[in-house]
Amino acid sequence: MAGYWAKARLLLWLAGIMFLLPAPVCAAAQKEKVILDTDMVEMFDDGVALLMLARSPKVELLGVTCVTGNSWAYALRQLELAGLKDIPVHEGMRYPLRPNRHALFSQERQQFGMGHDSWLGSLDMREPPSWDAFYRQQYQRDPVLKPAVRHAVNFIIETVRANPGEITIAAIGPCTNLAAAIRMAPDIVPLIKRVIYMGGAFFQQGNVTPAAEFNWWIDPEAARIMVQAPFREQVVFGLDVCEKVVFRREHYDRLLRSIGDGGMAAMLRGTFVGQSFEKDAAFTHFVWDVLVAAAIIDPSIITEERTCAIDVNTQYGPSYGQSLAYPKVAPAGCRKARIVTDVNQKRFWDMVNDRSYWTAPRR
């Protein structure tokens, strides 16, 4: 019996020591696992979002999936310049779900009206016969990195299944890849931690048409499939917040100082945004997708939001692609989402100019 109590006292003593020890470091350092689904451009806005997520110590960027819009070449070049060689870039769906829609964009806006933004990205250009040739022509060199073999839709499905309940989808382009993924594999819907969109314009006019915002207008059918899916959580950065965060010359100059000399600064200067600022100090722009990346890294930048059931209009006509919010009674099939309406702009611009995103070595 004496031996029994001696062992009991020893176990209690060990338990007390374990109680006093700090919690395991790995639990505190858990990173947000993210898939970035994007219609990539150079620097603002998708490129900056990519580099912030890739470099943040709070994020594990598992891969980049490129969707209808601009090519994977832009993503690979920016990862090369940043020295980030272990983040896979996957080619995805080329065109919207609606047959032949991409060929009718200009006629559609002539018929239904145009908003204040005429941008169509590479959807307004013919796809080159060879993206390798495009890369060489664009950057005067051969690509160091190559796109991954797996199609973007397959990568999304397999990655979500391998990480149940852990994946945040940053949906900063048209929703074609994502809609195809949940149609092919509906079992992944409850396995996704959350979807954060840049899309829609709920309480104001659109930008590419009076009714619709660019990302969701490009593929309204895909956007509707996504927002009606029973995800655990959906967060939307629409024009309601994106057009409050204005990119001015002072922000451009500050970012160039943060980036310093090198290929990334040269890329920024060569973009439409950079050239426009150089010609006109009063030029302004928006940063859309960067807000999604910033909120993933630091959700506290969100200062105002509304929770509503949402939907996307897929009836072909003047309101095609319009995003709809229902604060009270919603049509059947609608799901609730957090619609962000304001952010802490000082904190946001400080994050964008965090030099660790531009100068830190690869983790």
Side-chain angles (χ1 to χ4, degrees):
M1 182 62 73
Y4 170 82
W5 287 113
K7 290 180 181 179
R9 284 194 295 271
L10 177 61
L11 289 173
L12 286 171
W13 178 80
L14 289 172
I17 293 295
M18 293 299 293
F19 178 78
L20 294 174
L21 289 174
V25 175
C26 60
Q30 186 69 35
K31 296 178 181 178
E32 187 81 8
K33 295 182 178 180
V34 175
I35 294 174
L36 180 65
D37 191 65
T38 170
D39 54 336
M40 182 57 61
V41 298
E42 293 176 321
M43 295 302 286
F44 278 104
D45 50 346
D46 303 66
V48 173
L50 163 66
L51 295 172
M52 288 176 66
L53 292 172
R55 281 268 173 80
S56 172
K58 298 180 180 179
V59 172
E60 181 182 359
L61 184 57
L62 300 180
V64 178
T65 52
C66 293
V67 68
T68 310
N70 299 299
S71 81
W72 53 264
Y74 299 126
L76 290 178
R77 180 58 183 156
Q78 288 172 104
L79 290 173
E80 289 172 2
L81 286 172
L84 303 170
K85 299 182 180 180
D86 59 350
I87 298 174
V89 175
H90 299 259
E91 296 180 79
M93 303 291 282
R94 289 286 198 267
Y95 301 114
L97 296 182
R98 189 182 185 94
N100 300 316
R101 170 103 197 291
H102 61 283
L104 302 173
F105 282 136
S106 59
Q107 296 94 318
E108 186 176 301
R109 290 203 287 187
Q110 288 173 6
Q111 183 178 2
F112 301 145
M114 182 179 290
H116 61 264
D117 193 340
S118 61
W119 174 251
L120 282 178
S122 65
L123 286 168
D124 201 29
M125 301 180 289
R126 290 185 178 180
E127 188 167 336
S130 164
W131 282 111
D132 283 335
F134 167 82
Y135 189 104
R136 284 189 288 271
Q137 180 180 359
Q138 181 82 0
Y139 300 117
Q140 304 300 308
R141 66 183 69 224
D142 288 325
V144 175
L145 304 176
K146 294 286 186 181
V149 174
R150 270 188 297 179
H151 191 277
V153 173
N154 294 326
F155 171 78
I156 292 167
I157 294 169
E158 293 166 15
T159 305
V160 170
R161 284 175 174 167
N163 300 272
E166 297 182 347
I167 301 294
T168 290
I169 304 286
I172 63 173
C175 294
T176 318
N177 280 340
L178 301 170
I182 67 172
R183 277 287 179 89
M184 286 177 62
D187 64 285
I188 70 171
V189 171
L191 302 181
I192 293 171
K193 179 178 179 180
R194 58 181 174 164
V195 183
I196 305 182
Y197 305 90
M198 190 281 115
F202 296 94
F203 309 115
Q204 67 173 69
Q205 285 195 329
N207 54 1
V208 290
T209 74
E213 174 276 330
F214 175 86
N215 279 347
W216 288 4
W217 173 77
I218 290 292
D219 197 341
E221 286 77 12
R224 191 166 199 242
I225 288 170
M226 286 295 292
V227 301
Q228 289 197 350
F231 294 111
R232 298 182 182 190
E233 182 180 24
Q234 299 191 84
V235 184
V236 186
F237 284 78
L239 299 186
D240 313 278
V241 62
C242 292
E243 292 194 350
K244 290 180 180 178
V245 183
V246 182
F247 187 27
R248 304 183 188 279
R249 178 62 187 260
E250 63 197 78
H251 303 122
Y252 171 74
D253 290 340
R254 181 185 177 189
L255 182 59
L256 282 175
R257 292 193 298 270
S258 299
I259 295 174
D261 296 329
M264 204 67 72
M267 177 179 283
L268 176 57
R269 289 191 177 96
T271 61
F272 163 78
V273 173
Q275 292 178 355
S276 297
F277 277 125
E278 296 297 337
K279 294 175 183 176
D280 180 6
F283 173 78
T284 60
H285 202 56
F286 299 114
V287 296
W288 305 283
D289 302 335
V290 188
L291 290 167
V292 171
I296 291 173
I297 296 167
D298 180 7
S300 71
I301 71 161
I302 298 172
T303 57
E304 291 182 11
E305 62 180 81
R306 294 180 66 178
T307 298
C308 301
I310 64 172
D311 204 354
V312 181
N313 188 351
T314 57
Q315 296 297 313
Y316 199 70
S319 296
Y320 185 51
Q322 182 181 17
S323 48
L324 304 165
Y326 301 94
K328 294 183 179 179
V329 180
C334 293
R335 305 284 177 178
K336 288 188 175 182
R338 295 167 52 200
I339 303 172
V340 179
T341 55
D342 211 350
V343 296
N344 184 322
Q345 293 199 33
K346 181 183 184 304
R347 186 174 300 170
F348 169 75
W349 286 113
D350 287 345
M351 288 178 65
V352 171
N353 285 277
D354 185 334
R355 290 178 184 265
S356 66
Y357 298 136
W358 308 109
T359 59
R362 178 66 179 137
R363 298 188 304 276

